[in-house]
Amino acid sequence: MQSSYSTNECTRLHEELEKIAEEIRACRRCPLHASRTNAVPGEGNPCSRVVFIGEAPGSNEDQQGRPFVGAAGQLLTSLLTSNGIPRENVFITNVVKCRPPGNRDPHDEEIQACLPFLLRQLKLIRPSLIVTLGRHSTRTVLGYYGHSADSIMAVRGRVYRIEAEWGELVVFPTLHPAAALYNPRLRTILEDDFKHIATVLQGKGSKGQSTLDEFFR
Ligand code: URA
């Protein structure tokens, strides 16, 4: 699990991801392009082996062109750092890259139109762990790998071992941070899931003695 990426390879990955980001910023594949201020391709360490996938940008993200920068983003950042995972060490993106008006749920056609971008990002990053945040990203990612996920409460906190094109992948669904903002019960569940994520990372390393650092190249 130790990094095998050189600085040059990380730079190349960064450039390849930026090319996809440019395509996303110019995308007109679905009606959401008409109401966006900024598309939100995603951000983070291109050499990370850990990817967090949310649903779609909200108003703050649309304004700034960055994922998870509003209240839900602050909770995500604090859940990461309190579990020893600096936000800048992972890659964070969404299933849908443009804001649905009024923060409505993304439509299936919007998810399908945007999915090729996410799949291309993942193929470049080749993560060992994907954490899906909320029901839309969980349903989309698990669905792509042939698993059904009708209810987020039924699948959250479970470890899905998947043979991805690039090798062994764990998909770990959890709740969307926005759902936990004003609901203490859901917040406790989310906090427990993030503790579990840190444990999963520690258990997945080489020779059974990995540190979280091994996942952040
Ligand atoms: N909610 C999401 O799903 N994604 C964001 O980027 C922000 C809020």
mmCIF file of all heavy atoms in Angstrom, residues 52-102:
data_model
loop_
_atom_site.group_PDB
_atom_site.id
_atom_site.type_symbol
_atom_site.label_atom_id
_atom_site.label_comp_id
_atom_site.label_asym_id
_atom_site.label_seq_id
_atom_site.Cartn_x
_atom_site.Cartn_y
_atom_site.Cartn_z
ATOM 1 N N PHE A 52 -13.511 10.970 -1.283
ATOM 2 C CA PHE A 52 -14.828 11.191 -0.694
ATOM 3 C C PHE A 52 -15.753 11.735 -1.784
ATOM 4 O O PHE A 52 -15.377 12.679 -2.494
ATOM 5 C CB PHE A 52 -14.744 12.189 0.473
ATOM 6 C CG PHE A 52 -14.136 11.584 1.702
ATOM 7 C CD1 PHE A 52 -12.765 11.393 1.792
ATOM 8 C CD2 PHE A 52 -14.931 11.170 2.761
ATOM 9 C CE1 PHE A 52 -12.191 10.802 2.918
ATOM 10 C CE2 PHE A 52 -14.374 10.582 3.891
ATOM 11 C CZ PHE A 52 -13.010 10.397 3.971
ATOM 12 N N ILE A 53 -16.936 11.160 -1.895
ATOM 13 C CA ILE A 53 -17.857 11.560 -2.960
ATOM 14 C C ILE A 53 -19.193 11.994 -2.359
ATOM 15 O O ILE A 53 -19.893 11.189 -1.727
ATOM 16 C CB ILE A 53 -18.086 10.412 -3.972
ATOM 17 C CG1 ILE A 53 -16.745 9.904 -4.513
ATOM 18 C CG2 ILE A 53 -18.993 10.879 -5.108
ATOM 19 C CD1 ILE A 53 -16.869 8.713 -5.462
ATOM 20 N N GLY A 54 -19.514 13.272 -2.553
ATOM 21 C CA GLY A 54 -20.797 13.801 -2.094
ATOM 22 C C GLY A 54 -21.824 13.778 -3.213
ATOM 23 O O GLY A 54 -21.636 13.135 -4.248
ATOM 24 N N GLU A 55 -22.874 14.543 -2.984
ATOM 25 C CA GLU A 55 -24.025 14.498 -3.890
ATOM 26 C C GLU A 55 -23.882 15.522 -5.017
ATOM 27 O O GLU A 55 -23.702 15.167 -6.182
ATOM 28 C CB GLU A 55 -25.253 14.776 -3.034
ATOM 29 C CG GLU A 55 -26.547 14.902 -3.753
ATOM 30 C CD GLU A 55 -27.667 15.171 -2.749
ATOM 31 O OE1 GLU A 55 -27.679 14.552 -1.667
ATOM 32 O OE2 GLU A 55 -28.523 16.010 -3.042
ATOM 33 N N ALA A 56 -23.919 16.786 -4.661
ATOM 34 C CA ALA A 56 -23.865 17.861 -5.650
ATOM 35 C C ALA A 56 -23.525 19.150 -4.914
ATOM 36 O O ALA A 56 -23.776 19.260 -3.706
ATOM 37 C CB ALA A 56 -25.216 18.016 -6.350
ATOM 38 N N PRO A 57 -22.964 20.130 -5.625
ATOM 39 C CA PRO A 57 -22.642 21.390 -4.944
ATOM 40 C C PRO A 57 -23.901 22.075 -4.412
ATOM 41 O O PRO A 57 -24.974 21.979 -5.012
ATOM 42 C CB PRO A 57 -22.026 22.248 -6.053
ATOM 43 C CG PRO A 57 -21.716 21.317 -7.172
ATOM 44 C CD PRO A 57 -22.631 20.151 -7.041
ATOM 45 N N GLY A 58 -23.727 22.776 -3.296
ATOM 46 C CA GLY A 58 -24.772 23.660 -2.798
ATOM 47 C C GLY A 58 -24.429 25.091 -3.188
ATOM 48 O O GLY A 58 -23.563 25.327 -4.044
ATOM 49 N N SER A 59 -25.078 26.026 -2.524
ATOM 50 C CA SER A 59 -24.916 27.432 -2.892
ATOM 51 C C SER A 59 -23.480 27.940 -2.681
ATOM 52 O O SER A 59 -22.898 28.601 -3.546
ATOM 53 C CB SER A 59 -25.936 28.222 -2.075
ATOM 54 O OG SER A 59 -25.508 29.494 -1.867
ATOM 55 N N ASN A 60 -22.873 27.629 -1.530
ATOM 56 C CA ASN A 60 -21.488 28.082 -1.278
ATOM 57 C C ASN A 60 -20.509 27.487 -2.281
ATOM 58 O O ASN A 60 -19.598 28.166 -2.762
ATOM 59 C CB ASN A 60 -21.049 27.687 0.141
ATOM 60 C CG ASN A 60 -21.801 28.460 1.192
ATOM 61 O OD1 ASN A 60 -21.622 29.654 1.345
ATOM 62 N ND2 ASN A 60 -22.691 27.777 1.906
ATOM 63 N N GLU A 61 -20.723 26.212 -2.584
ATOM 64 C CA GLU A 61 -19.823 25.521 -3.509
ATOM 65 C C GLU A 61 -19.971 26.108 -4.914
ATOM 66 O O GLU A 61 -18.988 26.304 -5.635
ATOM 67 C CB GLU A 61 -20.156 24.014 -3.523
ATOM 68 C CG GLU A 61 -19.797 23.287 -2.228
ATOM 69 C CD GLU A 61 -20.766 23.524 -1.073
ATOM 70 O OE1 GLU A 61 -21.914 23.952 -1.351
ATOM 71 O OE2 GLU A 61 -20.385 23.285 0.092
ATOM 72 N N ASP A 62 -21.203 26.409 -5.283
ATOM 73 C CA ASP A 62 -21.484 27.023 -6.599
ATOM 74 C C ASP A 62 -20.797 28.388 -6.703
ATOM 75 O O ASP A 62 -20.254 28.751 -7.746
ATOM 76 C CB ASP A 62 -23.000 27.148 -6.743
ATOM 77 C CG ASP A 62 -23.401 27.887 -7.997
ATOM 78 O OD1 ASP A 62 -23.215 27.328 -9.093
ATOM 79 O OD2 ASP A 62 -23.902 29.026 -7.874
ATOM 80 N N GLN A 63 -20.808 29.138 -5.602
ATOM 81 C CA GLN A 63 -20.163 30.456 -5.603
ATOM 82 C C GLN A 63 -18.645 30.342 -5.726
ATOM 83 O O GLN A 63 -18.009 31.114 -6.431
ATOM 84 C CB GLN A 63 -20.491 31.218 -4.303
ATOM 85 C CG GLN A 63 -21.921 31.705 -4.212
ATOM 86 C CD GLN A 63 -22.264 32.681 -5.320
ATOM 87 O OE1 GLN A 63 -21.471 33.564 -5.645
ATOM 88 N NE2 GLN A 63 -23.430 32.506 -5.947
ATOM 89 N N GLN A 64 -18.082 29.352 -5.022
ATOM 90 C CA GLN A 64 -16.611 29.273 -4.930
ATOM 91 C C GLN A 64 -15.978 28.295 -5.916
ATOM 92 O O GLN A 64 -14.759 28.298 -6.091
ATOM 93 C CB GLN A 64 -16.196 28.874 -3.512
ATOM 94 C CG GLN A 64 -16.599 29.894 -2.458
ATOM 95 C CD GLN A 64 -16.032 29.532 -1.095
ATOM 96 O OE1 GLN A 64 -14.922 29.042 -0.985
ATOM 97 N NE2 GLN A 64 -16.816 29.761 -0.052
ATOM 98 N N GLY A 65 -16.796 27.406 -6.503
ATOM 99 C CA GLY A 65 -16.231 26.397 -7.416
ATOM 100 C C GLY A 65 -15.438 25.322 -6.711
ATOM 101 O O GLY A 65 -14.616 24.639 -7.318
ATOM 102 N N ARG A 66 -15.686 25.167 -5.390
ATOM 103 C CA ARG A 66 -14.973 24.163 -4.592
ATOM 104 C C ARG A 66 -15.987 23.305 -3.845
ATOM 105 O O ARG A 66 -17.035 23.805 -3.423
ATOM 106 C CB ARG A 66 -14.073 24.844 -3.562
ATOM 107 C CG ARG A 66 -12.957 25.685 -4.165
ATOM 108 C CD ARG A 66 -12.127 26.304 -3.050
ATOM 109 N NE ARG A 66 -11.678 25.283 -2.111
ATOM 110 C CZ ARG A 66 -11.496 25.487 -0.799
ATOM 111 N NH1 ARG A 66 -11.738 26.670 -0.261
ATOM 112 N NH2 ARG A 66 -11.083 24.502 -0.020
ATOM 113 N N PRO A 67 -15.667 22.012 -3.645
ATOM 114 C CA PRO A 67 -16.617 21.126 -2.966
ATOM 115 C C PRO A 67 -16.599 21.308 -1.451
ATOM 116 O O PRO A 67 -15.561 21.633 -0.866
ATOM 117 C CB PRO A 67 -16.104 19.723 -3.327
ATOM 118 C CG PRO A 67 -14.631 19.906 -3.489
ATOM 119 C CD PRO A 67 -14.435 21.305 -4.055
ATOM 120 N N PHE A 68 -17.726 21.096 -0.838
ATOM 121 C CA PHE A 68 -17.853 21.038 0.623
ATOM 122 C C PHE A 68 -17.161 22.208 1.324
ATOM 123 O O PHE A 68 -16.226 22.023 2.115
ATOM 124 C CB PHE A 68 -17.312 19.687 1.144
ATOM 125 C CG PHE A 68 -18.288 18.552 0.926
ATOM 126 C CD1 PHE A 68 -18.151 17.695 -0.155
ATOM 127 C CD2 PHE A 68 -19.367 18.365 1.783
ATOM 128 C CE1 PHE A 68 -19.062 16.668 -0.375
ATOM 129 C CE2 PHE A 68 -20.284 17.341 1.573
ATOM 130 C CZ PHE A 68 -20.124 16.497 0.498
ATOM 131 N N VAL A 69 -17.621 23.419 1.012
ATOM 132 C CA VAL A 69 -17.078 24.606 1.686
ATOM 133 C C VAL A 69 -18.128 25.302 2.560
ATOM 134 O O VAL A 69 -17.823 26.299 3.198
ATOM 135 C CB VAL A 69 -16.468 25.616 0.674
ATOM 136 C CG1 VAL A 69 -15.190 25.059 0.073
ATOM 137 C CG2 VAL A 69 -17.470 25.991 -0.417
ATOM 138 N N GLY A 70 -19.367 24.784 2.581
ATOM 139 C CA GLY A 70 -20.409 25.367 3.431
ATOM 140 C C GLY A 70 -20.453 24.658 4.783
ATOM 141 O O GLY A 70 -19.459 24.075 5.231
ATOM 142 N N ALA A 71 -21.611 24.712 5.418
ATOM 143 C CA ALA A 71 -21.741 24.136 6.773
ATOM 144 C C ALA A 71 -21.479 22.629 6.761
ATOM 145 O O ALA A 71 -20.769 22.105 7.638
ATOM 146 C CB ALA A 71 -23.137 24.429 7.310
ATOM 147 N N ALA A 72 -22.006 21.937 5.771
ATOM 148 C CA ALA A 72 -21.760 20.481 5.693
ATOM 149 C C ALA A 72 -20.281 20.217 5.465
ATOM 150 O O ALA A 72 -19.710 19.252 5.998
ATOM 151 C CB ALA A 72 -22.588 19.855 4.569
ATOM 152 N N GLY A 73 -19.651 21.098 4.695
ATOM 153 C CA GLY A 73 -18.215 20.960 4.434
ATOM 154 C C GLY A 73 -17.383 21.157 5.690
ATOM 155 O O GLY A 73 -16.380 20.466 5.909
ATOM 156 N N GLN A 74 -17.816 22.107 6.525
ATOM 157 C CA GLN A 74 -17.072 22.323 7.785
ATOM 158 C C GLN A 74 -17.154 21.082 8.667
ATOM 159 O O GLN A 74 -16.179 20.684 9.301
ATOM 160 C CB GLN A 74 -17.638 23.524 8.521
ATOM 161 C CG GLN A 74 -17.107 24.829 7.945
ATOM 162 C CD GLN A 74 -17.829 26.035 8.511
ATOM 163 O OE1 GLN A 74 -18.402 25.969 9.596
ATOM 164 N NE2 GLN A 74 -17.814 27.118 7.774
ATOM 165 N N LEU A 75 -18.344 20.459 8.672
ATOM 166 C CA LEU A 75 -18.480 19.228 9.465
ATOM 167 C C LEU A 75 -17.602 18.123 8.871
ATOM 168 O O LEU A 75 -16.905 17.411 9.598
ATOM 169 C CB LEU A 75 -19.956 18.793 9.520
ATOM 170 C CG LEU A 75 -20.235 17.491 10.261
ATOM 171 C CD1 LEU A 75 -19.661 17.498 11.680
ATOM 172 C CD2 LEU A 75 -21.740 17.187 10.301
ATOM 173 N N LEU A 76 -17.618 18.002 7.534
ATOM 174 C CA LEU A 76 -16.774 16.987 6.891
ATOM 175 C C LEU A 76 -15.297 17.194 7.253
ATOM 176 O O LEU A 76 -14.599 16.252 7.644
ATOM 177 C CB LEU A 76 -16.960 17.034 5.368
ATOM 178 C CG LEU A 76 -16.020 16.141 4.548
ATOM 179 C CD1 LEU A 76 -16.259 14.656 4.867
ATOM 180 C CD2 LEU A 76 -16.214 16.385 3.046
ATOM 181 N N THR A 77 -14.858 18.451 7.161
ATOM 182 C CA THR A 77 -13.452 18.757 7.451
ATOM 183 C C THR A 77 -13.118 18.396 8.900
ATOM 184 O O THR A 77 -12.071 17.808 9.180
ATOM 185 C CB THR A 77 -13.170 20.252 7.200
ATOM 186 O OG1 THR A 77 -13.558 20.549 5.857
ATOM 187 C CG2 THR A 77 -11.706 20.595 7.365
ATOM 188 N N SER A 78 -14.032 18.707 9.813
ATOM 189 C CA SER A 78 -13.718 18.419 11.227
ATOM 190 C C SER A 78 -13.775 16.905 11.500
ATOM 191 O O SER A 78 -12.978 16.390 12.286
ATOM 192 C CB SER A 78 -14.612 19.237 12.153
ATOM 193 O OG SER A 78 -15.685 18.488 12.609
ATOM 194 N N LEU A 79 -14.657 16.191 10.819
ATOM 195 C CA LEU A 79 -14.676 14.725 10.992
ATOM 196 C C LEU A 79 -13.385 14.102 10.472
ATOM 197 O O LEU A 79 -12.850 13.157 11.040
ATOM 198 C CB LEU A 79 -15.877 14.119 10.247
ATOM 199 C CG LEU A 79 -17.247 14.353 10.878
ATOM 200 C CD1 LEU A 79 -18.363 14.092 9.866
ATOM 201 C CD2 LEU A 79 -17.430 13.459 12.104
ATOM 202 N N LEU A 80 -12.881 14.658 9.378
ATOM 203 C CA LEU A 80 -11.623 14.146 8.821
ATOM 204 C C LEU A 80 -10.466 14.412 9.776
ATOM 205 O O LEU A 80 -9.757 13.488 10.182
ATOM 206 C CB LEU A 80 -11.344 14.811 7.466
ATOM 207 C CG LEU A 80 -12.205 14.362 6.282
ATOM 208 C CD1 LEU A 80 -11.998 15.290 5.079
ATOM 209 C CD2 LEU A 80 -11.872 12.929 5.895
ATOM 210 N N THR A 81 -10.318 15.683 10.151
ATOM 211 C CA THR A 81 -9.122 16.032 10.940
ATOM 212 C C THR A 81 -9.161 15.365 12.318
ATOM 213 O O THR A 81 -8.133 14.915 12.805
ATOM 214 C CB THR A 81 -8.959 17.558 11.086
ATOM 215 O OG1 THR A 81 -10.211 18.112 11.445
ATOM 216 C CG2 THR A 81 -8.503 18.189 9.807
ATOM 217 N N SER A 82 -10.352 15.251 12.906
ATOM 218 C CA SER A 82 -10.391 14.635 14.240
ATOM 219 C C SER A 82 -10.097 13.139 14.175
ATOM 220 O O SER A 82 -9.874 12.502 15.198
ATOM 221 C CB SER A 82 -11.727 14.898 14.931
ATOM 222 O OG SER A 82 -12.767 14.328 14.192
ATOM 223 N N ASN A 83 -10.086 12.582 12.973
ATOM 224 C CA ASN A 83 -9.706 11.174 12.831
ATOM 225 C C ASN A 83 -8.344 11.015 12.158
ATOM 226 O O ASN A 83 -8.030 9.964 11.582
ATOM 227 C CB ASN A 83 -10.787 10.417 12.054
ATOM 228 C CG ASN A 83 -11.997 10.148 12.931
ATOM 229 O OD1 ASN A 83 -11.957 9.290 13.799
ATOM 230 N ND2 ASN A 83 -13.055 10.925 12.739
ATOM 231 N N GLY A 84 -7.551 12.080 12.211
ATOM 232 C CA GLY A 84 -6.167 11.982 11.728
ATOM 233 C C GLY A 84 -6.039 12.023 10.225
ATOM 234 O O GLY A 84 -5.048 11.545 9.669
ATOM 235 N N ILE A 85 -7.043 12.570 9.538
ATOM 236 C CA ILE A 85 -7.014 12.609 8.077
ATOM 237 C C ILE A 85 -7.097 14.068 7.630
ATOM 238 O O ILE A 85 -8.190 14.634 7.553
ATOM 239 C CB ILE A 85 -8.208 11.814 7.481
ATOM 240 C CG1 ILE A 85 -8.250 10.398 8.062
ATOM 241 C CG2 ILE A 85 -8.130 11.788 5.955
ATOM 242 C CD1 ILE A 85 -9.494 9.605 7.669
ATOM 243 N N PRO A 86 -5.963 14.704 7.341
ATOM 244 C CA PRO A 86 -6.029 16.098 6.881
ATOM 245 C C PRO A 86 -6.820 16.193 5.573
ATOM 246 O O PRO A 86 -6.604 15.387 4.657
ATOM 247 C CB PRO A 86 -4.561 16.474 6.661
ATOM 248 C CG PRO A 86 -3.766 15.466 7.421
ATOM 249 C CD PRO A 86 -4.585 14.215 7.432
ATOM 250 N N ARG A 87 -7.712 17.174 5.502
ATOM 251 C CA ARG A 87 -8.573 17.304 4.324
ATOM 252 C C ARG A 87 -7.766 17.387 3.032
ATOM 253 O O ARG A 87 -8.140 16.828 2.015
ATOM 254 C CB ARG A 87 -9.464 18.549 4.500
ATOM 255 C CG ARG A 87 -10.333 18.839 3.278
ATOM 256 C CD ARG A 87 -11.203 20.072 3.472
ATOM 257 N NE ARG A 87 -11.683 20.518 2.183
ATOM 258 C CZ ARG A 87 -12.957 20.707 1.856
ATOM 259 N NH1 ARG A 87 -13.899 20.526 2.733
ATOM 260 N NH2 ARG A 87 -13.297 21.095 0.642
ATOM 261 N N GLU A 88 -6.637 18.111 3.086
ATOM 262 C CA GLU A 88 -5.871 18.311 1.853
ATOM 263 C C GLU A 88 -5.167 17.043 1.389
ATOM 264 O O GLU A 88 -4.623 17.003 0.296
ATOM 265 C CB GLU A 88 -4.875 19.474 2.007
ATOM 266 C CG GLU A 88 -3.832 19.306 3.085
ATOM 267 C CD GLU A 88 -4.332 19.749 4.472
ATOM 268 O OE1 GLU A 88 -5.555 19.914 4.665
ATOM 269 O OE2 GLU A 88 -3.476 19.902 5.369
ATOM 270 N N ASN A 89 -5.197 16.009 2.216
ATOM 271 C CA ASN A 89 -4.551 14.751 1.820
ATOM 272 C C ASN A 89 -5.463 13.832 1.010
ATOM 273 O O ASN A 89 -4.990 12.840 0.455
ATOM 274 C CB ASN A 89 -4.093 13.981 3.062
ATOM 275 C CG ASN A 89 -2.786 14.510 3.594
ATOM 276 O OD1 ASN A 89 -2.281 15.511 3.094
ATOM 277 N ND2 ASN A 89 -2.253 13.871 4.609
ATOM 278 N N VAL A 90 -6.757 14.104 1.016
ATOM 279 C CA VAL A 90 -7.678 13.229 0.282
ATOM 280 C C VAL A 90 -8.232 13.984 -0.923
ATOM 281 O O VAL A 90 -8.006 15.188 -1.070
ATOM 282 C CB VAL A 90 -8.835 12.746 1.190
ATOM 283 C CG1 VAL A 90 -8.277 11.998 2.386
ATOM 284 C CG2 VAL A 90 -9.730 13.894 1.630
ATOM 285 N N PHE A 91 -8.929 13.273 -1.795
ATOM 286 C CA PHE A 91 -9.592 13.937 -2.913
ATOM 287 C C PHE A 91 -11.093 13.961 -2.619
ATOM 288 O O PHE A 91 -11.662 12.956 -2.195
ATOM 289 C CB PHE A 91 -9.307 13.195 -4.227
ATOM 290 C CG PHE A 91 -9.670 14.009 -5.436
ATOM 291 C CD1 PHE A 91 -8.788 14.958 -5.938
ATOM 292 C CD2 PHE A 91 -10.901 13.849 -6.062
ATOM 293 C CE1 PHE A 91 -9.113 15.735 -7.050
ATOM 294 C CE2 PHE A 91 -11.239 14.613 -7.173
ATOM 295 C CZ PHE A 91 -10.348 15.554 -7.664
ATOM 296 N N ILE A 92 -11.705 15.124 -2.825
ATOM 297 C CA ILE A 92 -13.129 15.297 -2.506
ATOM 298 C C ILE A 92 -13.854 15.761 -3.765
ATOM 299 O O ILE A 92 -13.443 16.733 -4.416
ATOM 300 C CB ILE A 92 -13.322 16.334 -1.377
ATOM 301 C CG1 ILE A 92 -12.565 15.893 -0.117
ATOM 302 C CG2 ILE A 92 -14.810 16.533 -1.082
ATOM 303 C CD1 ILE A 92 -12.610 16.901 1.026
ATOM 304 N N THR A 93 -14.924 15.061 -4.108
ATOM 305 C CA THR A 93 -15.691 15.472 -5.277
ATOM 306 C C THR A 93 -17.163 15.114 -5.062
ATOM 307 O O THR A 93 -17.560 14.715 -3.972
ATOM 308 C CB THR A 93 -15.113 14.837 -6.571
ATOM 309 O OG1 THR A 93 -15.764 15.390 -7.708
ATOM 310 C CG2 THR A 93 -15.251 13.320 -6.576
ATOM 311 N N ASN A 94 -17.959 15.304 -6.089
ATOM 312 C CA ASN A 94 -19.385 15.008 -6.033
ATOM 313 C C ASN A 94 -19.786 14.170 -7.229
ATOM 314 O O ASN A 94 -19.111 14.179 -8.255
ATOM 315 C CB ASN A 94 -20.193 16.311 -6.050
ATOM 316 C CG ASN A 94 -20.118 17.056 -4.734
ATOM 317 O OD1 ASN A 94 -20.523 16.553 -3.695
ATOM 318 N ND2 ASN A 94 -19.586 18.274 -4.777
ATOM 319 N N VAL A 95 -20.930 13.513 -7.110
ATOM 320 C CA VAL A 95 -21.462 12.759 -8.254
ATOM 321 C C VAL A 95 -21.890 13.738 -9.343
ATOM 322 O O VAL A 95 -21.629 13.528 -10.523
ATOM 323 C CB VAL A 95 -22.672 11.902 -7.802
ATOM 324 C CG1 VAL A 95 -23.376 11.296 -8.996
ATOM 325 C CG2 VAL A 95 -22.215 10.802 -6.879
ATOM 326 N N VAL A 96 -22.549 14.810 -8.941
ATOM 327 C CA VAL A 96 -23.016 15.833 -9.885
ATOM 328 C C VAL A 96 -22.183 17.091 -9.640
ATOM 329 O O VAL A 96 -22.019 17.513 -8.499
ATOM 330 C CB VAL A 96 -24.526 16.096 -9.687
ATOM 331 C CG1 VAL A 96 -24.980 17.332 -10.436
ATOM 332 C CG2 VAL A 96 -25.322 14.881 -10.134
ATOM 333 N N LYS A 97 -21.640 17.648 -10.704
ATOM 334 C CA LYS A 97 -20.649 18.719 -10.556
ATOM 335 C C LYS A 97 -21.236 20.126 -10.612
ATOM 336 O O LYS A 97 -20.497 21.101 -10.452
ATOM 337 C CB LYS A 97 -19.562 18.609 -11.635
ATOM 338 C CG LYS A 97 -19.048 17.190 -11.894
ATOM 339 C CD LYS A 97 -18.296 16.591 -10.726
ATOM 340 C CE LYS A 97 -17.537 15.336 -11.139
ATOM 341 N NZ LYS A 97 -17.100 14.518 -10.017
ATOM 342 N N CYS A 98 -22.513 20.250 -10.887
ATOM 343 C CA CYS A 98 -23.145 21.580 -10.906
ATOM 344 C C CYS A 98 -24.315 21.593 -9.940
ATOM 345 O O CYS A 98 -24.979 20.574 -9.727
ATOM 346 C CB CYS A 98 -23.630 21.928 -12.318
ATOM 347 S SG CYS A 98 -22.286 22.075 -13.504
ATOM 348 N N ARG A 99 -24.591 22.767 -9.391
ATOM 349 C CA ARG A 99 -25.614 22.887 -8.344
ATOM 350 C C ARG A 99 -27.034 22.715 -8.905
ATOM 351 O O ARG A 99 -27.427 23.455 -9.812
ATOM 352 C CB ARG A 99 -25.527 24.255 -7.699
ATOM 353 C CG ARG A 99 -26.516 24.414 -6.578
ATOM 354 C CD ARG A 99 -26.605 25.847 -6.125
ATOM 355 N NE ARG A 99 -27.523 25.963 -5.016
ATOM 356 C CZ ARG A 99 -28.228 27.047 -4.732
ATOM 357 N NH1 ARG A 99 -28.091 28.139 -5.467
ATOM 358 N NH2 ARG A 99 -29.040 27.056 -3.705
ATOM 359 N N PRO A 100 -27.796 21.775 -8.346
ATOM 360 C CA PRO A 100 -29.220 21.729 -8.701
ATOM 361 C C PRO A 100 -29.928 22.935 -8.077
ATOM 362 O O PRO A 100 -29.708 23.237 -6.904
ATOM 363 C CB PRO A 100 -29.714 20.420 -8.073
ATOM 364 C CG PRO A 100 -28.466 19.632 -7.792
ATOM 365 C CD PRO A 100 -27.402 20.655 -7.497
ATOM 366 N N PRO A 101 -30.761 23.636 -8.843
ATOM 367 C CA PRO A 101 -31.397 24.854 -8.324
ATOM 368 C C PRO A 101 -32.143 24.596 -7.020
ATOM 369 O O PRO A 101 -32.799 23.565 -6.870
ATOM 370 C CB PRO A 101 -32.378 25.247 -9.430
ATOM 371 C CG PRO A 101 -31.926 24.514 -10.642
ATOM 372 C CD PRO A 101 -31.174 23.300 -10.190
ATOM 373 N N GLY A 102 -32.003 25.532 -6.089
ATOM 374 C CA GLY A 102 -32.722 25.420 -4.807
ATOM 375 C C GLY A 102 -32.255 24.231 -3.982
ATOM 376 O O GLY A 102 -32.969 23.791 -3.079
#
